[in-house]
Amino acid sequence: MKSYTSITVGSLNLFNENKKVMPFGVSSNYRYFEPYPLYIRKGKGSHVWDIDGNEYVDYNLGFGVMEVGYGNQKIVREVEKAIQEGSILGFEYYKTGELAREISRRYKMDMVRFSSTGTEATMHSIRIARAFTGRKKIIKFEGHYHGSHDQLLVNVNPPVPKGKTMSSLGIPEEVVTNTLVLDWNDLEQLEKSVDEDVAAIIMEPVAMNMGLVPTDEEFLRETMRIAREKGALVIFDETKTGGKAYSGAKGEFSLEPDLMILGKAITGGFPLSVIAGKREVMETIGPGKTAHGGTYNANPVSVSSSLVTLKEILTEDAFYHMRRLNRMLTKGYEEIGEDLGVDVSVASWGTSGTVFFSKEVPENYKEFISSDISRWFTYFFACLSGGVIPMGGFNEEWTLSISHSEEDVGNT
């Protein structure tokens, strides 16, 4: 900690100024950590620089957004052109259908609607599921995060897991009456909970908000079977995972959810999210039917950035490169833990991974929160002091970009 505070005096000074006009000096709670947040000036490739001039190899990448690398010139050129032609046009932008077709092709979904954030997309997805099924209940899993709207902001990261726990002040209990919270990877509990009033089961198909907790593939397949039998929809929230593999977890596991949420990495650094789904489900959307709207939905800048990201940057070759480096980083962490005799377990999937300070990789949130979190903070600040941002928080994961190199991994 002394090392961190000695090299980040500028961040401390800016924090003291900002907190006078911004709660905790930040625009998102997830950017704050004790004793004060890091303020970043710029990024290039796989590196960022803070306001004190310190350079870091960055594995946070905007919480998984910047797999394209900072300052990617292909995106810069497309965005400059889009801004010159009008950053927002009121009516539908002429390239929106092109992007919808590209997403439909890549992720094998019938129809697409665009929003601006993952929060909006998951909020709309449960409304669509209720409209299609005529049912009320939504099942989510403890430790899974689906944005900051009231109905799903429950049991995200409770310090002491017991019962239904709102993850924010200001959420009335009656708002989550129809939200059921289950344990991840617990098939027996799921089978007992799905009844004829469950509209949908929403999940991160690979849990990435309690670190990276691997999925039992059999659990996913059985969840799909149970949902089909009971007439409930399955929603894959792939806001994160959709950009961690070429066609997301859906493609990796060869599964067919009814609805799929995409965002973050697929847009190359601009705000855009996707609700993709089966035709019969998506056709419940429309004037006089299920509401979906947003002034900034599919704005020209985000659409242009996403098109070049999906078509030219995050290609199958790019994922081969990122996943190869991810295996190197994972192996390095495992070997260091073994050499030092420290209880470390490492989980990785796609372009991401997590270090857990426990003997075993956790299988659910209760196991995750019982790991040694205090050691994680020692690791985090030691990494910052050594010029590495390992990830964004103790419940996050690292992400590789196309700009990371073997040298970056070696230095880490």
Side-chain angles (χ1 to χ4, degrees):
M1 184 65 74
K2 283 184 179 179
S3 180
Y4 171 72
T5 56
S6 69
I7 64 173
T8 57
V9 175
S11 282
L12 172 60
N13 292 338
L14 194 55
F15 170 65
N16 288 331
E17 289 298 313
N18 287 358
K19 68 181 181 180
K20 297 173 186 176
V21 291
M22 302 164 64
F24 286 86
V26 292
S27 299
S28 168
N29 287 358
Y30 303 110
R31 297 175 193 164
Y32 177 79
F33 54 83
E34 296 282 357
Y36 53 85
L38 197 61
Y39 290 90
I40 302 297
R41 181 186 297 276
K42 67 176 182 178
K44 185 63 181 175
S46 59
H47 291 223
V48 295
W49 287 260
D50 67 17
I51 62 168
D52 288 280
N54 299 307
E55 180 178 354
Y56 305 87
V57 180
D58 183 20
Y59 296 96
N60 182 40
L61 295 178
F63 295 89
V65 170
M66 295 304 296
E67 283 185 355
V68 297
Y70 293 105
N72 187 296
Q73 286 304 297
K74 288 184 178 180
I75 289 177
V76 171
R77 286 193 295 269
E78 289 298 316
V79 166
E80 284 179 345
K81 181 181 176 182
I83 290 173
Q84 288 170 359
E85 294 179 347
S87 57
I88 192 162
L89 300 169
F91 294 99
E92 196 70 15
Y93 184 47
Y94 80 106
K95 287 186 178 180
T96 306
E98 182 184 353
L99 179 57
R101 285 185 287 274
E102 176 62 21
I103 289 168
S104 178
R105 179 199 66 79
R106 183 162 174 154
Y107 294 96
K108 304 295 188 293
M109 299 299 280
D110 295 336
M111 299 188 82
V112 169
R113 268 291 180 104
F114 296 103
S115 290
S116 295
T117 66
T119 291
E120 292 171 85
T122 58
M123 178 185 70
H124 286 298
S125 75
I126 62 173
R127 179 187 296 156
I128 294 164
R130 284 169 168 155
F132 180 77
T133 62
R135 301 175 177 186
K136 295 179 181 179
K137 294 179 184 176
I138 302 294
I139 288 176
K140 75 166 298 261
F141 296 95
E142 187 167 54
H144 289 215
Y145 177 65
H146 303 293
S148 56
H149 56 92
D150 290 1
Q151 294 177 82
L152 296 179
L153 198 60
V154 54
N155 289 69
V156 176
N157 288 124
V160 181
K162 58 175 183 178
K164 191 178 287 187
T165 306
M166 260 62 80
S167 299
S168 171
L169 300 176
I171 301 176
E173 288 185 16
E174 55 267 31
V175 172
V176 296
T177 300
N178 290 308
T179 304
L180 310 180
V181 182
L182 307 183
D183 290 324
W184 186 231
N185 284 326
D186 189 332
L187 186 59
E188 183 179 352
Q189 186 186 49
L190 180 70
E191 276 197 284
K192 291 178 180 177
S193 301
V194 182
D195 60 25
E196 282 68 25
D197 201 25
V198 172
I201 304 167
I202 188 169
M203 70 185 80
E204 301 172 71
V206 179
M208 289 196 175
N209 283 282
M210 43 182 163
L212 191 158
V213 174
T215 309
D216 179 347
E217 286 191 44
E218 185 62 22
F219 174 77
L220 280 184
R221 297 185 192 285
E222 285 298 295
T223 297
M224 305 284 288
R225 178 189 63 78
I226 294 166
R228 299 285 183 268
E229 288 179 357
K230 297 292 186 178
L233 301 189
V234 172
I235 305 171
F236 276 11
D237 181 358
E238 298 219 42
T239 304
K240 282 188 171 182
T241 55
K244 311 277 188 178
Y246 179 76
S247 52
K250 176 187 182 296
E252 288 285 293
F253 299 132
S254 299
L255 293 173
E256 299 295 331
D258 301 286
L259 289 167
M260 180 185 194
I261 309 303
L262 296 163
K264 290 191 182 290
I266 71 161
T267 68
F270 289 85
L272 181 141
S273 61
V274 176
I275 308 164
K278 293 181 177 178
R279 185 173 302 279
E280 62 270 24
V281 179
M282 295 295 286
E283 285 181 341
T284 64
I285 302 169
K289 298 196 290 184
T290 307
H292 172 259
T295 301
Y296 288 93
N297 289 2
N299 69 83
V301 176
S302 297
V303 169
S304 299
S305 178
S306 189
L307 275 169
V308 72
T309 295
L310 292 175
K311 288 187 171 185
E312 299 182 31
I313 304 174
L314 295 185
T315 62
E316 292 186 85
D317 285 346
F319 277 100
Y320 175 82
H321 166 74
M322 291 185 286
R323 294 178 83 149
R324 183 176 64 84
L325 292 184
N326 196 30
R327 289 191 291 271
M328 291 175 60
L329 188 59
T330 300
K331 184 179 179 182
Y333 276 127
E334 289 172 339
E335 290 178 349
I336 290 169
E338 187 176 334
D339 290 347
L340 296 176
V342 177
D343 285 339
V344 168
S345 57
V346 186
S348 63
W349 183 87
T351 62
S352 290
T354 298
V355 174
F356 297 104
F357 290 89
S358 57
K359 290 183 179 179
E360 303 288 340
V361 172
E363 293 187 1
N364 56 43
Y365 182 77
K366 291 178 177 65
E367 291 183 10
F368 161 71
I369 203 64
S370 66
S371 64
D372 194 340
I373 304 297
S374 63
R375 283 192 178 188
W376 184 91
F377 281 99
T378 303
Y379 150 74
F380 178 67
F381 284 107
C383 283
L384 291 183
S385 301
V388 173
I389 298 176
M391 57 193 71
F394 77 96
N395 59 339
E396 289 287 329
E397 64 284 325
W398 73 69
T399 303
L400 276 297
S401 76
I402 64 164
S403 296
H404 279 88
S405 64
E406 290 187 18
E407 183 180 3
D408 287 330
V409 173
N411 289 340
T412 302

